[in-house]
Amino acid sequence: MYELKTKENDSSVTEFIENVDNPKKREDAYRLLDIFTETTGLPAKMWGPSIIGFGSYHYKYATGHEGDAPLVGFSPRKAKISLYLAPYDPEREALLANFGKYTAGKGCVYINKVADIKVEVLEALITQSVAFLKKAYPGE
């Protein structure tokens, strides 16, 4: 059976951020921590070794694969900052149109720095993602 590596754990969020090498990225991580905490009203938790997540939901796919994931989160990675927002939310694209400078993958939105984006749009994306996932996965 496949063991999910990205699980909520008791590692220190502050300690993780303090270990981010790039001082500007560390500063942005603290800014994002404030934005996500204030917007969700949820405490920050480490998920795996490098994702700061807020809240959680339990998913189960038609294939039988299931697990837990944060409702929203971020990770200050070396290359870019990864933002974890609901990937299948139809509202996401409309909000991203006014977001600022970013790239998007299948499940993540990537930014270079907080200064490149509109914080109010990020707050709307966070709020919308949480609402979308709570509706899609009402068991939480």
Side-chain angles (χ1 to χ4, degrees):
M1 182 91 183
Y2 174 75
E3 178 74 19
L4 199 62
K5 290 183 185 78
T6 307
K7 292 182 184 173
E8 184 179 325
N9 61 66
D10 291 327
S11 297
S12 167
V13 170
T14 304
E15 196 173 295
F16 169 69
I17 293 173
E18 282 300 315
N19 285 313
V20 171
D21 288 338
N22 182 316
K24 290 300 256 176
K25 201 156 274 181
R26 191 176 325 120
E27 188 179 306
D28 275 350
Y30 278 118
R31 178 83 173 100
L32 288 168
L33 180 62
D34 288 344
I35 293 166
F36 275 80
T37 301
E38 289 168 19
T39 305
T40 65
L42 299 166
K45 297 280 192 174
M46 289 302 300
W47 284 75
S50 62
I51 296 173
I52 299 168
F54 300 81
S56 67
Y57 68 99
H58 186 78
Y59 60 86
K60 186 170 186 175
Y61 298 136
T63 61
H65 175 78
E66 63 181 298
D68 296 302
L71 288 167
V72 290
F74 69 93
S75 183
R77 304 208 185 266
K78 276 196 186 341
K80 292 183 183 256
I81 297 169
S82 301
L83 305 175
Y84 298 93
L85 305 161
Y88 305 110
D89 181 358
E91 307 279 322
R92 186 171 111 161
E93 291 307 311
L95 288 168
L96 285 172
N98 298 312
F99 188 50
K101 192 173 164 186
Y102 76 94
T103 56
K106 185 177 178 186
C108 295
V109 173
Y110 304 100
I111 63 171
N112 288 318
K113 56 189 180 291
V114 174
D116 288 344
I117 62 165
K118 292 182 181 168
V119 171
E120 64 276 8
V121 176
L122 174 58
E123 291 166 346
L125 282 161
I126 293 167
T127 300
Q128 180 57 34
S129 290
V130 169
F132 175 82
L133 289 169
K134 283 185 172 181
K135 187 176 178 184
Y137 300 94
E140 294 303 302

